[in-house]
Amino acid sequence: EGIQRAHHEATREMRLRRLAAGPGQALHRSLDADEIVERLLFDAQARLSSSFVAMLWSAEPGEPLRPWAARGESLDRVAALELARHGPLAQLIEGLGRPVLRRELERFPELRPEMPAFMAHGVTVLAPIGGDTGLEALLLADERFDGGEPSAADLELLTSLCEIAAVALRNAARVRQQLLVALERTRGWSAETDDPHVDEAWGLVANAAQALLMAPRQRTLVEQALRMGSLAPG
């Protein structure tokens, strides 16, 4: 039994080292959030052998987690999903700090109002991605190609992937914030900034962008272009 335990620990250590040397380094090489998420979904789908993986993300603190990216099928599959960041389900997943199977959550009575939506969308695995303000994103996956559930080793690797991705996304967010500050200063040179119609126009565009499932990065670019007015082409 002692030899078996030692072998298990050695195998686990080797898996985690390979993860850190491969996908982990790839995630940290980019400072673009969309590229990081694309890589994360690719690695998660490969390791879980799932036909579909997706991510829910919140652009601003306090906002619900909404569909951001998907792999295996279009984002339309989870378009109706939304998770309140301070609801019982989000708080439980954040507290666990690890990927959890849907069937594990179904035994909690307080989660009954939120679980049917995930069941209807065929979600089998829910993996938290934490940040400076708590739960910032949620990775979702359906069942394996063979109809089974991920193994404990698969979920352990997914935990490490999500932890690495969380750090990479925080770094990307800092770079994004610096770019936004630079754009704000550029925008300050434009007299059009004070136009009261800009906020009204952006409200309409934001609703359309949400309905079209436009990626957050694209939404940011459209907003900045709208606010910069005639400076945008340059």
Side-chain angles (χ1 to χ4, degrees):
E1 289 177 357
I3 292 174
Q4 286 180 335
R5 282 196 298 271
H7 175 70
H8 174 73
E9 288 300 318
T11 303
R12 174 178 176 274
E13 183 68 20
M14 289 172 60
R15 284 200 307 267
L16 295 179
R17 283 180 182 274
R18 284 197 298 267
L19 177 66
Q25 289 183 357
L27 287 171
H28 281 303
R29 275 198 294 267
S30 176
L31 289 172
D32 182 273
D34 290 338
E35 186 177 333
I36 292 169
V37 171
E38 183 180 354
R39 179 71 197 192
L40 172 63
L41 293 181
F42 173 83
D43 290 326
Q45 185 181 34
R47 277 155 179 75
L48 296 176
S49 298
S50 297
S51 60
F52 177 76
V53 290
M55 179 179 285
L56 305 184
W57 180 74
S58 175
E60 299 294 339
E63 285 189 354
L65 302 182
R66 296 189 176 95
W68 180 13
R71 182 178 176 82
E73 294 183 32
S74 70
L75 200 59
D76 292 343
R77 172 170 168 177
V78 291
L81 274 181
E82 185 175 295
L83 179 66
R85 290 185 59 168
H86 302 295
L89 179 56
Q91 290 179 349
L92 178 60
I93 294 175
E94 180 184 350
L96 291 173
R98 61 168 178 81
V100 59
L101 299 176
R102 191 192 70 208
R103 62 172 174 79
E104 297 180 69
L105 300 172
E106 291 173 353
R107 58 190 177 89
F108 292 95
E110 62 272 25
L111 302 182
R112 285 173 185 162
E114 296 181 277
M115 290 309 298
F118 291 88
M119 294 172 63
H121 288 80
V123 174
T124 301
V125 180
L126 300 88
I129 297 175
D132 296 331
T133 59
L135 184 66
E136 291 191 356
L138 187 65
L139 190 149
L140 309 175
D142 64 2
E143 63 184 13
R144 294 168 54 94
F145 285 112
D146 59 11
E149 292 182 342
S151 66
D154 292 333
L155 294 178
E156 187 175 30
L157 283 173
L158 183 60
T159 300
S160 299
L161 265 177
C162 289
E163 289 173 352
I164 294 171
V167 176
L169 286 171
R170 282 198 291 273
N171 292 335
R174 293 187 181 98
V175 173
R176 176 178 178 272
Q177 190 58 38
Q178 291 172 356
L179 293 173
L180 290 178
V181 169
L183 286 174
E184 287 288 341
R185 292 177 177 174
T186 303
R187 210 173 68 203
W189 301 337
S190 172
E192 300 168 46
T193 304
D194 298 327
D195 188 342
H197 296 97
V198 171
D199 287 334
E200 182 181 355
W202 170 241
L204 296 172
V205 172
N207 290 335
Q210 179 66 35
L212 292 170
L213 298 178
M214 185 181 288
R217 178 186 181 190
Q218 293 176 318
R219 273 183 252 175
T220 299
L221 292 174
V222 172
E223 179 182 11
Q224 293 299 323
L226 182 65
R227 294 188 184 282
M228 289 176 70
S230 59
L231 291 178

